Each structure stands twice: as C-alpha cells, then as structure tokens.
Amino acid sequence: MAAADMARTAEATRVIASARPVEVLGKGGRGRWGDLVRWGPAGLVGVWVLAQIAYPLTAGAGRDAVTVVVVLLAAGIAGWHAWVSGGVWRVAGLLVVVAGVGLVAEIVGTAWGFPFGCYRYAAARLGPEVAGVPLVVPLAWVGGWYPVRVVAGRLSRRAGVRVVLTAVGAVGWDLFLDPQMVADGQWVWCSAWRGLPGLAGIPFTNFLGWFGVALVMAGLWEVVDRRGAREGGVDGPRWASADERSAARTDERLVGGGDGRPWTGTDERLTAAADERLGAGVGGWPGAGVDLLAAVPVGMFLWTWLGSALAHAVFLHLPWSAAYGFAGMGVLGVPLVWSLAGFRRT
C-alpha cells in the first residue's frame, strides 16, 4: 500500500474512533433528550440486577412483586434495545414473534399439555391472566429470549446456526428458570413423564418444548432481522454497524483525495478499517465489547448465566439447576467470553 493510502486509512480509523455515539447510532435524536432516550434505559440494567439480588431475600407477596418487577424491567430493556437498533419494526416484531408466540404456546400448553407437558400456573400471584396464563409470562419470554438472540447473532454469521444457538441458549435459561419458579410455587407440573436427574418434578418434555418454541421464534426473527438490517439497524452478525461504516465512507475527509478525486477502492478499505477498529472479527468470532448498544443485552446474558449459577448454587439451594443452567447457557457463554478476551488481547 502506498504511503498516501496508508495515511488515508489511518485518518479513516481516527475519525471512526473519535465519532460520538450520537453521530453513528442513528436513533433517538440528538442532544440531552436523545442521549437520555438512547442511554437512559441502560441504567435500568442496574435496577434489574438489584431486583434479582433481592429475590432470595424476600418471600410471599413480596417475592411475587419482585418477580414481576424483574420481568417488566427485562422486557422493557429488550424493547428499548430493539427500538434503538432497528426502529419500530423490530419492536413490533419482538411483540409479535416473541411475546405473541410465547403467549399462544403457554395458553395451548396449559390447556392441552403441548408442547411442554401438563402444568398449571398458580392463581392470582403474578397479576392479570388470560386463559389461566399470567400476562407477565409472555413478557418473561421477551426479557429472557432476546439477550440470548443477540449473543447468538454475535457468534455466527449463518442464519441457521443463529437459530439453533438461540434455541439452545433459551433452553439453558429455562434450566435456571423452571426449577426456581417451581420451587417458589409459581406453577405446578402434573405430567407423568420423567425429569432430568435432580429435577424429577419437571418433565424432560418441558425442555423439548422450550427448544421447539424458541426455535420457531428464532426462525421468525430472522425475517424481522433482515427487515431491520435494511432499515439500518445495528443488530446482526457484525458489531460494526452499517450506519457507522456508511458515515465514515461519506465523510468528505475520507472519500476525497488530496486532488479532489475519490480514492480507488475507498469503500473496501474504509469498511476494513471500521471493522478492525470495531472488532468485527477476532479469532474467527465476530468481535465483542465495542458496540455499546449491544453491550446491554450481552451484559444481561452474562449476568443471567453467571449470576444465576451462583444464586442457585449458594442462595436458592438448587445445585442441580445451577449445574444444568450453567452448562446450557455456557454453549453460548463460553465462546462469547472467549471472543471478549480475544478482543482485549487484540
């Protein structure tokens, strides 16, 4: 590469590195209000974590209230991330694909025992219900499923792999969730099917059902994801968003040579420079730890995985679910942590 080209590429990297989030993320407006809309809900993650810490310290109606707060916060944060990363289309997709499919699956499950097995919810503990299913339950699907999907999107560029990873990660999450909620009496199983060792009260059909429902959600979400990508969202298999690379390519300091003529191969070099700066590929995995927006659901995933394992093993006295959940979510968590470590080394 000629010295002049190297200098221009260095300038591209410098401009990308110095760009403010408000200039490149593209949603929520500018100024203090835009920053509040864009970053304010990220602070709710801290409240969400505190609410989960409070869970083992409460009992009865207080614990039920904490459960509802945890679910509402998780769903709200997921909806916020869907909006700022892909607009109204993705929020609608989240409600229809995840909350909608989840609600239908729960109604069918409690009425006919398919696809999870025979079970029923405790009455009047988690708020309003429809057909025997608390309305907070489909929101729980949103808050738990979405971070798993974001992580799966960072670990593979192949749609089929993302779909399977999402379903596996969702089952891993339920290996924490179901034993915890059954121990708290939120729902009761009446299935005659056997359970996993240490989880005898929960039939293995429950986890097969979770895999199937999460697989359907993930497959439908791929359609939403492609539409959101066309609208300029940041969710997808790359951490460097199309908006950010486009902003760099269109900057007059980058696309114009010293004599006013455009560079040859500018788009390719600038895309490579942006990807290198933003960690689009480290050690064979998409980069991690750079996209501040994605850091929110990724952080939620890591807390759910590691925090739940600790809580189940130490505070809730559920060692079997601690082991199962840690292994299940670890299918995504281990490569995610590896990619984070790889990015820091780079």
Side-chain angles (χ1 to χ4, degrees):
M1 181 183 293
D5 287 344
M6 293 178 64
R8 290 174 181 133
T9 301
E11 174 67 3
T13 303
R14 186 193 66 76
V15 172
I16 294 168
S18 63
R20 296 184 304 144
V22 72
E23 295 170 342
V24 298
L25 295 177
K27 302 288 182 184
R30 295 178 179 272
R32 292 183 178 179
W33 173 248
D35 289 342
L36 177 63
V37 171
R38 183 174 294 104
W39 300 115
L44 294 179
V45 174
V47 181
W48 174 74
V49 169
L50 291 176
Q52 288 184 299
I53 293 174
Y55 178 89
L57 305 177
T58 57
R63 177 170 288 188
D64 292 347
V66 169
T67 300
V68 173
V69 168
V70 169
V71 170
L72 294 179
L73 286 172
I77 295 167
W80 161 78
H81 183 270
W83 175 60
V84 297
S85 65
V88 175
W89 174 260
R90 284 194 179 171
V91 176
L94 194 63
L95 292 175
V96 173
V97 169
V98 185
V101 171
L103 179 59
V104 170
E106 296 284 353
I107 291 175
V108 172
T110 54
W112 290 287
F114 178 83
F116 308 107
C118 177
Y119 70 105
R120 65 180 183 274
Y121 284 97
R125 289 192 58 182
L126 296 177
E129 302 175 357
V130 55
V133 177
L135 289 177
V136 75
V137 170
L139 296 180
W141 276 94
V142 171
W145 181 93
Y146 187 76
V148 172
R149 170 56 185 82
V150 171
V151 170
R154 304 310 177 195
L155 296 182
S156 179
R157 293 185 172 92
R158 297 183 178 182
V161 176
R162 290 196 297 268
V163 169
V164 174
L165 284 176
T166 301
V168 171
V171 172
W173 172 53
D174 188 55
L175 285 165
F176 286 128
L177 177 68
D178 228 276
Q180 179 178 334
M181 293 296 102
V182 168
D184 195 37
Q186 294 294 355
W187 55 81
V188 178
W189 287 96
C190 49
S191 174
W193 291 97
R194 294 176 61 87
L196 297 172
L199 302 180
I202 304 171
F204 73 88
T205 54
N206 169 64
F207 305 111
L208 292 178
W210 264 77
F211 182 83
V213 173
L215 199 70
V216 170
M217 291 177 178
L220 294 174
W221 184 258
E222 287 297 324
V223 179
V224 176
D225 190 51
R226 285 194 292 272
R227 173 64 180 270
R230 288 197 296 271
E231 292 182 355
V234 303
D235 188 25
R238 302 178 71 83
W239 288 78
S241 71
D243 283 350
E244 195 155 0
R245 292 195 299 270
S246 176
R249 287 196 297 267
T250 56
D251 191 295
E252 66 179 0
R253 290 174 294 174
L254 304 181
V255 300
D259 55 3
R261 291 179 292 132
W263 305 346
T264 301
T266 296
D267 283 0
E268 290 77 6
R269 287 204 303 276
L270 289 178
T271 297
D275 288 350
E276 180 180 1
R277 166 62 182 149
L278 296 171
V282 178
W285 296 98
V290 176
D291 186 334
L292 296 180
L293 280 179
V296 172
V298 168
M300 293 176 69
F301 175 92
L302 290 172
W303 170 260
T304 301
W305 176 37
L306 302 176
S308 295
L310 176 63
H312 280 231
V314 178
F315 301 106
L316 299 177
H317 309 294
L318 298 169
W320 284 96
S321 60
Y324 285 133
F326 181 80
M329 293 192 73
V331 174
L332 280 71
V334 170
L336 174 64
V337 171
W338 181 265
S339 70
L340 287 164
F343 178 79
R344 286 194 295 270
R345 287 195 301 270
T346 303

